[in-house]
Amino acid sequence: MLNSAYLIRRQAPGAIRTALGYLFGLLIGLGLSAAILMSVGVPAADLLQEFIVQTFMTSDGLAQTMTSAAPLILVGLASAIAMRIRFWNIGVEGQIWMGAIAATWVALHHIGPPSLRLPIGLAAAFAAGALSIWPWLWMKTRYGVSEVITTLLSASIAFLLVQHLLFGVWRDPANSFPITVEFPLESQFSMLGWGQVHMGLALALVVAALVYFLLERSPFGYIADAIGFNRRTAMQTGLPVATVSLVATLSSGGLSGLAGAVILSGTEHRLSQALSSGYLFSAIVIAYLGRSRPVWVVFVAIALAAIYTAGNVLKVFYGVSEAVIVLAQGTVLMSVLTTSFFSAYTIHFPVKS
């Protein structure tokens, strides 16, 4: 008689099982999202064209995808680093705001010589993101306060600070909207000559390489994994838990702040209220699907950017509403998440006679 069921984690799912899980989930998700889009009037013959051909096989579509991927890579890495030590950073969007504020301050006040202004802005954004997450790590380690609550609330605080600045001292007097003036050229990334792709993409890939060597090819990564598996045991064995936790958490916040600067200096060129919308969801999805592995994070970020690019095309040329696009995108992501989950876990049904 079946009276219960429980999950058992597979010790070694294997590359083939994992790859098949991703592929199966992607196919199911694309099929369901196609049905959703056809139900609102998108011709079936155009779906393949928009999702595959226009997104990956045309120069303009691929350029737009890669441009969108740059900040997604950074926030995905930020979330992945935090997940490795089981620190649940739900304040990614708040750290993006803080990084954007720091980068804007450098740009608007012309901090440093012109030739160094962009690097200074990027460094300031990283520092602002890192400092904005530090209090919540301290509260967790000192008083046991859940970082889920504190980091989530910190995002609202950061957004209110941005509102204060945009409706106050940083508002462009020549514009009726709450935005800043355009950044000077010294605070903008140079273009690579391919669509809107800029040097921020190269920066994101360099950061991904550095994070890869940190997490996969150095003792830091092994210690971080030990902390994630069992923090108390790691402490009892004499591992530098406090130091690694501090570096990993500050790096998570710093990379999110850097993502804010990349968005501003690469594409927006001014601070506005719509800067970090949706990046928390994206960061968590990328880190989870990438299993907190930097190489996979890069590929998942590019794939997610492609989904967003295709969604924007459908909105513009087919009049599909934002709600339907989000539903279709969410369907694909949830399908992949579900199948990847069951590639890592198995359901056991004990039978009681």
Side-chain angles (χ1 to χ4, degrees):
M1 178 179 178
L2 181 66
N3 59 359
S4 63
Y6 51 90
L7 292 171
I8 299 178
R9 185 179 181 88
R10 302 181 194 274
Q11 294 299 315
I16 295 178
R17 181 188 293 273
T18 301
L20 289 176
Y22 277 107
L23 179 61
F24 188 53
L26 182 62
L27 292 175
I28 293 176
L30 289 175
L32 293 174
S33 63
I36 293 171
L37 293 171
M38 286 188 292
S39 70
V40 296
V42 179
D46 293 348
L47 289 175
L48 179 63
Q49 178 75 12
E50 299 299 341
F51 271 93
I52 304 297
V53 177
Q54 292 296 327
T55 303
F56 286 109
M57 299 183 181
T58 65
S59 179
D60 290 342
L62 185 57
Q64 181 59 46
T65 296
M66 298 308 293
T67 302
S68 302
L72 290 175
I73 291 172
L74 292 173
V75 296
L77 291 171
S79 188
I81 292 175
M83 283 186 179
R84 291 285 281 264
I85 62 168
R86 296 298 187 270
F87 184 90
W88 308 112
N89 183 11
I90 313 299
V92 167
E93 291 185 355
Q95 293 139 30
I96 290 176
W97 283 122
M98 296 305 295
I101 291 172
T104 302
W105 176 75
V106 171
L108 297 186
H109 292 84
H110 309 287
I111 305 299
S115 60
L116 296 178
R117 194 160 299 151
L118 180 57
I120 292 173
L122 296 174
F126 184 93
L131 291 175
S132 68
I133 198 175
W134 174 79
W136 321 129
L137 173 65
W138 178 77
M139 290 180 66
K140 177 182 180 178
T141 55
R142 183 69 175 82
Y143 299 106
V145 179
S146 171
E147 73 275 19
V148 174
I149 303 300
T150 53
T151 56
L152 180 62
L153 293 177
S154 69
S156 297
I157 297 172
F159 178 69
L160 291 174
L161 178 57
V162 170
Q163 293 280 82
H164 170 73
L165 294 171
L166 289 179
F167 283 95
V169 293
W170 282 0
R171 183 169 184 170
D172 182 2
N175 201 307
S176 59
F177 296 100
I179 57 177
T180 65
V181 298
E182 186 173 351
F183 283 11
L185 292 177
E186 311 87 72
S187 293
Q188 299 181 22
F189 280 115
S190 58
M191 295 296 169
L192 297 180
W194 176 30
Q196 296 298 312
V197 181
H198 51 78
M199 285 299 295
L201 175 62
L203 174 64
L205 294 176
V206 170
V207 170
L210 293 175
V211 173
Y212 169 78
F213 283 106
L214 180 68
L215 294 182
E216 307 296 337
R217 291 292 182 269
S218 75
F220 182 94
Y222 296 108
I223 297 173
D225 288 338
I227 295 172
F229 285 125
N230 195 315
R231 185 182 185 89
R232 180 174 296 179
T233 300
M235 294 179 64
Q236 292 174 346
T237 55
L239 295 176
V241 172
T243 301
V244 171
S245 297
L246 179 63
V247 172
T249 306
L250 294 183
S251 298
S252 177
L255 290 179
S256 296
L258 185 61
V262 167
I263 298 169
L264 288 182
S265 297
T267 55
E268 297 297 324
H269 300 156
R270 64 177 75 220
L271 182 61
S272 68
Q273 299 181 84
L275 176 70
S276 71
S277 177
Y279 277 98
L280 171 60
F281 171 76
S282 301
I284 294 174
V285 168
I286 292 169
Y288 183 83
L289 289 180
R291 298 183 182 276
S292 297
R293 303 296 175 183
V295 173
W296 282 106
V297 163
V298 172
F299 287 110
V300 174
I302 294 173
L304 189 60
I307 293 175
Y308 290 162
T309 299
N312 291 332
V313 171
L314 292 175
K315 285 190 289 185
V316 173
F317 292 102
Y318 295 90
V320 180
S321 69
E322 176 71 19
V324 174
I325 293 299
V326 173
L327 177 61
Q329 293 170 344
T331 300
V332 174
L333 296 174
M334 286 302 298
S335 298
V336 176
L337 284 170
T338 302
T339 54
S340 64
F341 176 82
F342 285 107
S343 69
Y345 290 84
T346 182
I347 304 178
H348 181 65
F349 298 97
V351 179
K352 184 177 180 179
S353 57

